[in-house]
């Protein structure tokens, strides 16, 4: 039985691939020295440039016949190590997974947008305080959440909505009120 290799192309695992298939993938540019590979007998995924049996430039480490898999039924041997937390293969460096937005950041942005359209005198301050709370939580737990830009936009839109509606009250409603109250 010939060596069967696996490699990662983007986020997808490709394989089993023969040694010749790996050489072809290298010629196509899909496999570089930095591409993570695995085959039976390896403890973990590692860059192709460091994998025994694959040399930089696509040359074979051992010319001629390749070693076969150890004897025994195929069902006794997993084709790949079990995945680690997050579904990544064992030994793969975890990629930067998407972090959840900090609580209040999205609500701050939504309130800020609505404050521009209507009831800005009410929702503007709500957007400001929710955004400030979200930014405070981001500072308290660095790296745990994302959404700082959502909170900042919510604060900015909340300020804009509040100011616009206050100006509307001063320049539109206040003159109307004074006209109707006059003698």
């Amino acid at each position: 039985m010939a060596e069967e290799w696996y490699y990662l192309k983007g986020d997808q695992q490709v394989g089993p691939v023969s040694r010749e298939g790996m050489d072809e993938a290298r010629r196509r540019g899909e496999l570089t020295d930095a591409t993570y590979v695995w085959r039976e007998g390896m403890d973990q995924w590692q860059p192709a440039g460091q994998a025994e049996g694959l040399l930089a430039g696509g040359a074979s480490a051992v010319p001629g016949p390749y070693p076969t898999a150890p004897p025994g039924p195929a069902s006794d041997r997993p084709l790949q190590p079990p995945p680690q937390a997050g579904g990544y293969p064992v030994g793969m460096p975890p990629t930067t997974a998407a972090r959840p937005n900090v609580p209040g950041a999205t609500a701050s942005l939504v309130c800020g947008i609505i404050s521009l359209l209507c009831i800005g005198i009410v929702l503007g301050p709500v957007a400001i305080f929710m955004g400030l709370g979200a930014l405070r939580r981001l500072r308290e737990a660095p790296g745990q959440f994302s959404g700082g830009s959502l909170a900042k936009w919510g604060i900015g839109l909340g300020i804009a909505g509040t100011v616009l509606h206050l100006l509307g009250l001063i320049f539109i409603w206040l003159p109307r009120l004074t006209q109707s109250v006059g003698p």
Side-chain angles (χ1 to χ4, degrees):
M1 172 193 273
E3 260 181 17
E4 292 181 336
W5 289 85
Y6 295 84
Y7 67 95
L8 294 180
K9 180 179 177 185
D11 291 340
Q12 299 294 318
Q13 178 179 308
V14 178
V17 178
S18 67
R19 174 53 206 234
E20 292 79 19
M22 295 292 276
D23 291 339
E24 180 60 33
R26 184 179 291 273
R27 282 190 286 277
R28 287 192 309 264
E30 292 178 8
L31 183 68
T32 66
D33 287 346
T35 304
Y36 278 84
V37 298
W38 181 87
R39 68 176 165 86
E40 190 171 331
M42 295 173 65
D43 291 334
Q44 60 185 3
W45 291 76
Q46 53 186 257
Q50 298 174 9
E52 188 177 324
L54 292 176
L55 288 179
S60 297
V62 180
Y66 300 103
T68 60
S75 61
D76 291 347
R77 293 172 278 117
L79 289 178
Q80 62 185 7
Q84 63 186 1
Y88 295 101
V90 172
M92 274 297 296
T95 60
T96 304
R99 294 172 296 178
N101 286 335
V102 64
T106 305
S108 171
L109 179 63
V110 170
C111 288
I113 292 170
I114 295 173
S115 75
L116 289 174
L117 305 173
C118 60
I119 57 174
I121 199 75
V122 175
L123 287 181
V126 170
I128 294 167
F129 288 114
M130 290 183 84
L132 290 172
L135 290 177
R136 180 180 48 80
R137 282 191 284 280
L138 274 173
R139 280 190 301 275
E140 290 172 355
Q144 185 177 358
F145 295 110
S146 64
S149 59
L150 294 176
K152 291 174 186 173
W153 274 97
I155 292 168
L157 291 173
I159 291 170
T162 302
V163 168
L164 285 175
H165 281 83
L166 283 175
L167 291 174
L169 286 173
I170 292 170
F171 292 112
I172 296 173
W173 290 103
L174 191 59
R176 289 185 183 174
L177 290 174
T178 57
Q179 287 175 358
S180 62
V181 175

